[in-house]
Amino acid sequence: MGSGSTRVTGGQVDSQQACPVAPVVDLVFSRWTTPILWTLNEFGRQRFVELQRNIGTITPKVLTQRLRQMERDGLVVRTYHPEVPPRVEYEISALGRSLAPIFAHLADWSTENLPKVEEARREFDAAGGHS
């Protein structure tokens, strides 16, 4: 993936050195992070219930956990409005928005290549799961 030395610790290769994109994949492409970022990027600032509705199948508990982690990671901004009743809104941060080109490339790749993946799967399955 790039040049440079690979650090070996206790006989194991440091995974960040072996694949420098691994931490980004762990951060951005975890189970619910991508749909949350996509939704906030597409629809803008949203309240919790709106965000949950726009994502679909996510539970409130998981959404709360992911939003907290994403806020901690700097990908989401949480704004508390001390009204009666209190209002909380979430929006994608500038750092989170900087991922938009990556998502756009993935969407393009998906459109172009997912049919090829499906065809490869059909061929593989038709051969009994053997190449």
Side-chain angles (χ1 to χ4, degrees), residues 2-52:
S3 61
S5 62
T6 300
R7 189 169 63 227
V8 177
T9 310
Q12 294 182 334
V13 175
D14 182 334
S15 62
Q16 191 169 353
Q17 293 291 325
C19 182
V21 300
V24 176
V25 170
D26 289 345
L27 176 73
V28 177
F29 298 105
S30 66
R31 175 69 177 97
W32 289 107
T33 301
T34 305
I36 293 169
L37 287 175
W38 182 272
T39 302
L40 289 172
N41 192 58
E42 289 294 307
F43 298 104
R45 183 180 309 161
Q46 297 169 67
R47 295 175 77 163
F48 185 91
V49 175
E50 295 171 304
L51 184 55
Q52 184 182 9

Side-chain angles (χ1 to χ4, degrees), residues 12 30 58 77 80 87 91 124 127:
Q12 294 182 334
S30 66
I58 193 167
V77 176
Y80 175 80
R87 182 170 48 102
E91 61 186 309
F124 183 88

Side-chain angles (χ1 to χ4, degrees), residues 90-104:
Y90 297 90
E91 61 186 309
I92 191 168
S93 69
L95 180 60
R97 200 172 289 107
S98 71
L99 294 164
I102 294 170
F103 292 143

Side-chain angles (χ1 to χ4, degrees), residues 47-121:
R47 295 175 77 163
F48 185 91
V49 175
E50 295 171 304
L51 184 55
Q52 184 182 9
R53 188 179 326 115
N54 285 329
I55 292 171
T57 59
I58 193 167
T59 66
K61 178 183 176 183
V62 172
L63 181 55
T64 297
Q65 291 171 342
R66 293 309 311 148
L67 285 168
R68 282 190 185 138
Q69 183 62 49
M70 293 167 67
E71 183 181 7
R72 180 176 181 257
D73 293 338
L75 300 174
V76 168
V77 176
R78 178 184 183 269
T79 305
Y80 175 80
H81 301 278
E83 304 168 348
V84 178
R87 182 170 48 102
V88 178
E89 294 177 318
Y90 297 90
E91 61 186 309
I92 191 168
S93 69
L95 180 60
R97 200 172 289 107
S98 71
L99 294 164
I102 294 170
F103 292 143
H105 285 297
L106 287 172
D108 291 344
W109 188 93
S110 173
T111 300
E112 184 176 326
N113 292 297
L114 278 186
K116 296 173 188 173
V117 170
E118 289 300 323
E119 179 60 27
R121 288 175 178 170

